[in-house]
Amino acid sequence: ELIRPAMLDRPGGGVALHISALCIFAVMPFFLSVGLLRRRLMS
């Protein structure tokens, strides 16, 4: 959905939505893994 408008030289409608979803899928697991690692190191 992000590449198609760029390749066809058309304006992208939901680019912000897709980029925010990618950021959420990258940031949330990071904080989850940091929290689990801290819990494991503290016990």
Side-chain angles (χ1 to χ4, degrees):
E1 290 293 323
L2 292 174
I3 298 296
R4 188 176 298 136
M7 296 302 289
L8 297 175
D9 199 26
R10 296 181 185 165
V15 173
L17 176 67
H18 291 291
I19 291 177
S20 63
L22 286 174
C23 290
I24 289 171
F25 288 135
V27 171
M28 284 184 58
F30 172 76
F31 286 116
L32 178 67
S33 64
V34 167
L36 290 173
L37 181 64
R38 283 186 182 173
R39 186 186 329 166
R40 200 171 260 227
L41 288 175
M42 294 296 175
S43 57

